[in-house]
Amino acid sequence: MRYGVLGTGEVGRALAGRLVELGQEVTLGSRTRDNPVAAQWATAAAGRARAGTFAEAAAAGEVVVNAVGGPVALAALRTAGAEHLDGKVLVDVCNPLVFLDGEARLDPVESDSVGERIQRAFPHARVVKTLNTVNCRVMVDPGRVPGAHNVFVSGDDAGAKEQVTAMLGEFGWPAERVVDLGGIRSARSVEMYLGLWLTMFRRFGSPDFNIEVCRAG
Amino acid sequence: MRYGVLGTGEVGRALAGRLVELGQEVTLGSRTRDNPVAAQWATAAAGRARAGTFAEAAAAGEVVVNAVGGPVALAALRTAGAEHLDGKVLVDVCNPLVFLDGEARLDPVESDSVGERIQRAFPHARVVKTLNTVNCRVMVDPGRVPGAHNVFVSGDDAGAKEQVTAMLGEFGWPAERVVDLGGIRSARSVEMYLGLWLTMFRRFGSPDFNIEVCRAG
């Protein structure tokens, strides 16, 4: 499968690196063509890895992964171009994290989500929100954290969620640990969870944790 | 120990009933003295159980439990009277759930919480936010849900959190399953979790679930 991963930060590099390891073809997209981080990454990953612009990465991917920060996600995807997203599975892993007077805050929160905004802005993309509830190292290596902890998927397209569940399986998340929360509207509930995640991160002093959903019956 | 439980809804009755079972003296407080639900509860529970006004319940309790809904919590506590709360452990289990055009929404959200509002309004009460992340039946009977799932405590007073952790232990939550999130400001992160809780509740069709925090190392 060919993936276009948008964003050369820690999250984008972790996902792109893991996908290359798994034998996928990956184009890591950045705002500019001559992004040194992306170029270095592509050189290090070699073979199946390339660096390019957001548009080149999106065009190259059969699946596109949004791994830029929540506040710039829509701008990055507009730069990538709707024509390179239409009909494709668009995996959104970002969080609506902003800093206000040095304080971590969420925007949007509760009445909307970045996942929904992306789906509204690109109605022909098949948006699936997932993985934003864990640190990027846990995203691609769930075994870092003990226990049968869960990830979530939210999206309006059942086929896209199935495809993303398969990708998660390759990362090490068995299908029974992927909780389908329903339509893309449920993205707001996993984005809001960031508040609790951040509080636990500060308390624990490590991002190597996650939650397991325990159910009766 | 003498408890004053404010709120005669499902949550207040579950907590008050369990406390009576555990041998505590409980006054269940309602807006009015002649609340039939509270009177009936006190009759059924007998012995160590009484019904009264918010003020009578708060005055009677060495520990006061706020089990009214988030939107009316401050009003109920003002009716209870600051003089009956000062210096006491005030356990806040409510959620900021409101309905807007028939839709479940949170108010306040993210930049504030009911827990913090209560602590600001009653600076001499020792507010501890807890249990709002689980259904009231799970609150007092965690064994309903399998697994070593967790509850959280948030509060500025370490001694109050210890006392509440002991109460939680009597409910069936061993101390190692009580996650101390820090000061009362962290109440906003557990109140925001309601979004994910509600989404899972709708998906699962049952409130008998909870989350376990899995940590590396």
Side-chain angles (χ1 to χ4, degrees):
Chain A
M1 183 82 76
R2 294 191 312 275
Y3 284 85
V5 176
L6 312 186
T8 59
E10 205 185 8
V11 181
R13 294 200 310 276
L15 290 165
R18 183 82 174 110
L19 286 165
V20 168
E21 275 175 21
L22 291 166
Q24 314 294 350
E25 282 181 52
V26 180
T27 304
L28 185 62
S30 56
R31 245 166 290 287
T32 55
R33 185 168 317 219
D34 55 354
N35 179 310
V37 174
Q40 192 181 5
W41 174 85
T43 306
R48 291 179 299 273
R50 290 191 306 144
T53 62
F54 286 144
E56 287 165 345
E62 295 162 281
V63 171
V64 178
V65 180
N66 171 45
V68 303
V72 296
L74 282 174
L77 289 165
R78 283 197 194 99
T79 306
E83 69 276 22
H84 298 136
L85 302 171
D86 284 2
K88 291 183 184 174
V89 173
L90 174 49
V91 184
D92 173 36
V93 306
C94 78
N95 270 308
L97 183 63
V98 295
F99 288 90
L100 205 65
D101 301 329
E103 208 175 87
R105 295 284 293 275
L106 311 192
D107 180 29
V109 69
E110 205 257 331
S111 58
D112 199 3
S113 62
V114 182
E116 289 163 277
R117 284 182 176 177
I118 292 173
Q119 186 63 82
R120 285 199 302 272
F122 303 95
H124 303 299
R126 301 153 71 202
V127 179
V128 178
K129 183 99 206 179
T130 191
L131 287 176
N132 69 301
T133 55
V134 291
N135 175 264
C136 62
R137 292 194 293 182
V138 180
M139 288 182 187
V140 296
D141 183 13
R144 291 179 69 86
V145 174
H149 46 92
N150 297 100
V151 276
F152 303 93
V153 290
S154 303
D156 294 335
D157 185 305
K161 285 193 283 193
E162 266 175 45
Q163 202 171 322
V164 171
T165 299
M167 181 194 79
L168 294 170
E170 292 200 58
F171 287 169
W173 300 96
E176 66 272 17
R177 280 166 58 188
V178 179
V179 179
D180 184 346
L181 290 177
I184 192 64
R185 192 182 187 288
S186 63
R188 64 181 70 171
S189 62
V190 282
E191 292 188 11
M192 261 199 287
Y193 165 77
L194 180 63
L196 183 55
W197 190 92
L198 285 170
T199 299
M200 291 197 281
F201 173 53
R202 284 187 209 106
R203 291 295 284 183
F204 300 161
S206 161
D208 283 334
F209 67 88
N210 190 18
I211 55 171
E212 175 179 347
V213 181
C214 303
R215 295 174 58 179
Chain B
M1 184 81 75
R2 294 190 312 276
Y3 284 85
V5 176
L6 313 185
T8 59
E10 204 186 7
V11 181
R13 293 199 312 275
L15 289 165
R18 182 82 174 110
L19 286 165
V20 168
E21 275 176 21
L22 290 166
Q24 315 293 350
E25 282 181 53
V26 180
T27 304
L28 185 62
S30 55
R31 244 166 292 286
T32 55
R33 185 167 317 219
D34 54 354
N35 179 311
V37 174
Q40 190 181 7
W41 174 85
T43 306
R48 290 178 301 273
R50 289 192 306 146
T53 62
F54 285 144
E56 287 166 343
E62 295 162 280
V63 171
V64 179
V65 180
N66 171 46
V68 302
V72 295
L74 283 174
L77 289 164
R78 285 197 192 97
T79 307
E83 69 277 21
H84 298 136
L85 302 170
D86 284 1
K88 292 183 183 175
V89 173
L90 174 49
V91 184
D92 172 36
V93 306
C94 79
N95 270 307
L97 184 60
V98 295
F99 288 89
L100 205 65
D101 300 330
E103 208 176 89
R105 295 284 294 275
L106 311 191
D107 181 27
V109 69
E110 205 257 333
S111 58
D112 200 3
S113 62
V114 181
E116 290 163 276
R117 284 182 176 177
I118 292 174
Q119 185 62 83
R120 285 198 303 270
F122 302 94
H124 303 298
R126 302 154 70 202
V127 179
V128 178
K129 183 98 204 179
T130 191
L131 287 176
N132 70 301
T133 55
V134 290
N135 175 262
C136 62
R137 292 195 291 182
V138 180
M139 288 182 186
V140 297
D141 182 12
R144 292 178 68 85
V145 175
H149 47 92
N150 298 100
V151 276
F152 303 93
V153 289
S154 303
D156 294 336
D157 185 304
K161 284 192 285 194
E162 267 174 44
Q163 202 171 322
V164 171
T165 300
M167 181 195 78
L168 294 171
E170 292 199 60
F171 287 168
W173 300 96
E176 66 272 16
R177 279 167 58 187
V178 180
V179 179
D180 183 347
L181 291 177
I184 193 64
R185 191 182 189 287
S186 62
R188 63 182 72 172
S189 62
V190 282
E191 292 188 13
M192 262 200 287
Y193 166 77
L194 179 63
L196 183 54
W197 189 92
L198 285 171
T199 299
M200 289 196 282
F201 173 54
R202 284 187 210 107
R203 290 295 284 184
F204 300 161
S206 161
D208 283 334
F209 66 89
N210 191 17
I211 54 171
E212 174 181 347
V213 180
C214 303
R215 295 173 60 178

